[in-house]
Amino acid sequence: MHISKRLLCGPGLAALIMESVVIQPAFAADKVSLFKIITARDEIVIGISEGDLAQIEGQNAGGIAKMLVAKGSMSVWRYAVHKSAGGDLEQAPLHKIGLIASDSLRVEPYATPLKVLPIDETKK
């Protein structure tokens, strides 16, 4: 029984191409950490990508507060709950906002049972 090399390589190559198409988007998106910003007036949820969070001392709410006080302001993505095309609720980036340091500001980690969508920098 003689099987040609093309017959053996064809399905393997097709599987490799399909795997890279399916897996590639998962690696392209940064994981996002959510935080609640609380002021005397209101509360909002912000998202910071894994890459941006890595540049913050402590990589936590305290580090974000320190950076905000040190710099005076910072740009972040505001997150809000919305419905996906399938009808599921998810946390999605709404728009980029500027935070200004204030005496009555508190930063807390924000946990959600919903799917958190990655930040799309093309939507600036």
Side-chain angles (χ1 to χ4, degrees):
M1 184 170 169
H2 181 17
I3 300 174
S4 74
K5 288 183 182 179
R6 286 185 185 170
L7 187 59
L8 286 175
C9 292
L13 183 59
L16 180 64
I17 291 170
M18 288 303 290
E19 181 179 346
S20 66
V21 169
V22 172
I23 292 176
Q24 186 64 27
F27 289 122
D30 266 348
K31 183 180 177 227
V32 175
S33 295
L34 298 181
F35 296 90
K36 185 186 286 188
I37 306 296
I38 303 165
T39 68
R41 290 182 47 190
D42 63 352
E43 300 177 1
I44 62 168
V45 175
I46 64 165
I48 299 178
S49 71
E50 196 173 60
D52 290 341
L53 192 59
Q55 298 174 7
I56 296 174
E57 179 187 335
Q59 301 176 7
N60 57 21
I64 294 169
K66 273 185 181 178
M67 185 172 140
L68 187 56
V69 169
K71 288 189 172 186
S73 67
M74 64 189 288
S75 293
V76 295
W77 281 90
R78 183 171 184 178
Y79 267 68
V81 175
H82 87 136
K83 279 191 179 182
S84 69
D88 295 329
L89 293 178
E90 45 190 22
Q91 288 279 352
L94 188 58
H95 50 264
K96 204 159 196 176
I97 62 168
L99 292 179
I100 300 170
S102 167
D103 290 339
S104 59
L105 181 77
R106 189 169 80 226
V107 181
E108 299 177 351
Y110 183 77
T112 180
L114 305 176
K115 177 182 177 183
V116 178
L117 297 181
I119 295 169
D120 183 2
E121 290 293 335
T122 61
K123 291 185 177 180
K124 287 183 183 177

